[in-house]
């Protein structure tokens, strides 16, 4: 004897037939509708669960589950298969979630570098926003709001409404849109400091099932500097490894740029950041005045805005270099130079470059907050005639005051003594 008897009303039967004739619902929902129509006690002929299972190619347990869902929860639950009897209410409601987000936007408590899920859960209970909550519930609530307190990013934050910033930014962006000219090439230059680190023990090589292993101890052997000259429109780059990063190193780099890399160029546009060594004075500190002037005459230095070094494509190239070549322990300058030279050769052979698409028009839309706000109610300038008239009026008034002072002085001296 069946425990759950399906008895459909005329309205429910019409609803199921309409659902099947439309055929727009999910396949699972349509199958459950067919099960209910065949399992109806008023249907003729009467179907057994085994017959329904064989006809619709479902298991007998599925037929039994649909029967039970219809008797206990109704038609909609039997069709969708989602019961609401055992569902629990949200632990964190809208008001509690607002407190959670506000708490996350504040600095972490003293003694903690950042918020963690367990710290947030404990703080919510401590501030009596909620009686008890687990860190997993906090995680699910933050996941719905796309908030991740355990992640941080280092970012170059530009100043807002700064005319100097947008002026230099648009200057650099305009350079990137100009066509390439062999007589007037465009390059980007930046540098990277690499710490030299040596091994104290020989690393264990890679084995099946085991990664390469190296000892946690290391030996510091100083630092070196890597200059990157990147010509994005040609897909070429030149790297130079030096022991220091000073005026003389920069000056020799500029001489190589003019005499070695682009000897036929009439003028080279150089995009650089605002490091204190990136100045023309470094050439005069290194070479004779005539030589320094000769080199500078072929250079057009264009500086990125402060806090805007991301506009320098050489910085992107250095990040690729660091990730593909230098992200390991290297203890000697000659090894760094050898590895960087091999990396440059591979990149040049592949004609790798940067596909720069950010333009001035994009900046005026996406970075609108950086542009100064022009006051529309500013007082207009007076016409030249009015300004001259105002100046003459002020001069005449000053003359009259001077005459009054002179008259009083003469009257004072002309008065008889007591």
């Amino acid at each position: 004897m069946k425990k759950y008897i399906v008895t459909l009303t005329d309205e429910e039967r019409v609803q199921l037939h309409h659902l099947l004739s439309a055929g727009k619902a999910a396949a699972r929902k349509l199958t459950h509708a067919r099960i209910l129509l065949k399992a109806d006690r008023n249907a003729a002929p009467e179907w057994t669960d085994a017959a329904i299972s064989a006809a619709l190619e479902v298991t007998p347990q599925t037929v039994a589950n649909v029967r039970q869902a219809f008797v206990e929860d109704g038609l909609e639950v039997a069709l969708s298969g989602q019961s609401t009897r055992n569902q629990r209410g949200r632990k964190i409601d809208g008001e509690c979630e607002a407190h959670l987000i506000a708490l996350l936007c504040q600095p972490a408590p003293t003694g903690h570098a950042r918020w963690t899920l367990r710290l947030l859960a404990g703080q919510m209970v401590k501030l009596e926003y909620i009686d008890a909550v687990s860190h997993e519930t906090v995680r699910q609530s933050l996941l719905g709001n796309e908030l991740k307190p355990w992640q941080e990013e280092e970012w170059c934050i530009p100043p807002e409404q700064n005319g100097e910033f947008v002026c230099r930014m648009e200057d650099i962006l305009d350079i990137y849109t100009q066509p390439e000219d062999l007589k007037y090439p465009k390059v980007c230059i930046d540098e990277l400091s690499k710490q030299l680190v040596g091994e104290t023990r020989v690393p264990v090589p890679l084995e099946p099932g085991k990664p390469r292993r190296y000892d946690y101890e290391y030996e510091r052997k100083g630092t070196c500097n890597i200059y990157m000259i990147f010509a994005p429109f040609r897909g070429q780059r030149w790297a130079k490894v030096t022991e220091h990063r000073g005026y003389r190193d920069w000056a020799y780099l500029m001489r190589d740029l003019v005499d070695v890399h682009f000897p036929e160029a009439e003028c080279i546009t150089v995009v650089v950041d605002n490091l204190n060594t990136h100045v023309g004075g470094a050439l005069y500190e290194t070479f004779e005045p005539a030589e320094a002037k000769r080199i500078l005459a072929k250079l057009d230095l264009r500086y990125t805005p402060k806090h805007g070094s991301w506009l320098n494509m050489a910085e992107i190239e250095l990040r690729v270099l660091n990730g593909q070549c230098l992200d390991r322990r290297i203890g000697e300058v000659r090894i760094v130079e050898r590895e960087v030279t091999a990396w440059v050769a591979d990149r040049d052979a592949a004609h790798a470059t940067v596909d720069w698409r950010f333009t001035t028009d994009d900046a005026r839309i996406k970075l609108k907050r950086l542009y100064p706000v022009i006051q529309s109610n500013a007082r207009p300038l007076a016409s030249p005639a009015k300004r001259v008239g105002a100046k003459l009026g002020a001069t005449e008034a000053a003359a009259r005051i001077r005459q009054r002072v002179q008259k009083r002085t003469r009257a004072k001296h002309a008065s008889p003594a007591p």
Side-chain angles (χ1 to χ4, degrees), residues 396-409:
E396 184 179 357
R400 289 181 181 179
I401 294 173
R402 194 179 304 110
Q403 290 176 0
R404 291 176 186 175
V405 173
Q406 291 176 355
K407 287 181 180 179
R408 291 177 184 176
T409 303

Side-chain angles (χ1 to χ4, degrees), residues 46-63:
E46 185 178 358
W47 288 70
T48 63
D49 286 2
I52 296 174
S53 173
L56 300 180
E57 296 182 353
V58 296
T59 63
Q61 185 61 42
T62 300
V63 179

Side-chain angles (χ1 to χ4, degrees), residues 98-253:
H99 286 300
L100 175 62
I101 296 175
L103 186 64
L104 182 59
C105 294
Q106 299 176 7
T110 305
H112 298 272
R114 63 185 62 85
W115 286 105
T116 63
L117 296 176
R118 297 181 187 276
L119 184 60
L120 283 169
Q123 198 73 3
M124 292 286 289
V125 175
K126 181 179 180 180
L127 296 176
E128 299 182 354
Y129 294 145
I130 195 171
D131 295 335
V133 65
S134 67
H135 68 280
E136 177 61 21
T137 303
V138 173
R139 185 191 70 82
Q140 294 177 0
S141 179
L142 296 178
L143 190 63
N145 292 278
E146 298 183 358
L147 297 174
K148 300 177 181 179
W150 54 89
Q151 291 185 358
E152 290 184 356
E153 289 186 356
E154 185 178 0
W155 199 253
C156 188
I157 303 176
E160 295 189 2
Q161 298 187 10
N162 188 286
E164 181 64 22
F165 183 94
V166 297
C167 176
R168 292 194 179 187
M169 177 182 65
E170 291 196 355
D171 181 45
I172 299 300
L173 294 177
D174 289 342
I175 293 174
Y176 292 161
T177 58
Q178 296 172 3
E180 179 68 3
D181 191 339
L182 297 179
K183 292 293 184 180
Y184 300 91
K186 294 178 284 292
V187 299
C188 303
I189 298 181
D190 202 1
E191 57 271 300
L192 173 69
S193 179
K194 169 64 178 176
Q195 183 177 9
L196 301 176
V197 177
E199 300 285 358
T200 58
R201 292 175 177 81
V202 179
V204 180
L206 179 71
E207 298 178 4
K210 293 182 180 181
R212 178 179 179 272
R213 287 155 289 171
Y214 58 91
D215 197 79
Y216 69 94
E217 291 185 358
Y218 58 89
E219 181 182 359
R220 293 183 178 180
K221 296 188 175 182
T223 59
C224 66
N225 180 66
I226 304 171
Y227 283 109
M228 175 63 66
I229 303 175
F230 182 42
F233 301 100
R234 302 187 181 192
Q236 290 181 294
R237 73 273 302 139
W238 299 270
K240 183 177 181 180
V241 180
T242 60
E243 294 184 358
H244 307 285
R245 184 182 64 184
Y247 277 169
R248 296 178 62 86
D249 302 286
W250 169 259
Y252 286 125
L253 183 73

Side-chain angles (χ1 to χ4, degrees), residues 379-416:
R379 187 176 180 180
L381 292 175
S383 62
K386 291 184 178 180
R387 291 200 297 268
V388 172
K391 185 175 181 180
L392 291 177
T395 304
E396 184 179 357
R400 289 181 181 179
I401 294 173
R402 194 179 304 110
Q403 290 176 0
R404 291 176 186 175
V405 173
Q406 291 176 355
K407 287 181 180 179
R408 291 177 184 176
T409 303
R410 287 196 298 268
K412 182 179 180 181
H413 288 290
S415 60

Side-chain angles (χ1 to χ4, degrees), residues 11-43:
E11 183 180 354
E12 291 173 339
R13 196 175 295 107
V14 170
Q15 181 181 350
L16 291 175
H17 281 296
H18 177 72
L19 180 66
L20 292 174
S21 62
K24 295 182 179 180
R28 185 169 181 265
K29 191 172 185 178
L30 296 177
T31 302
H32 286 196
R34 294 187 180 95
I35 292 174
L36 290 174
L37 287 173
K38 294 182 181 301
D40 184 12
R41 66 182 302 179
N42 297 325

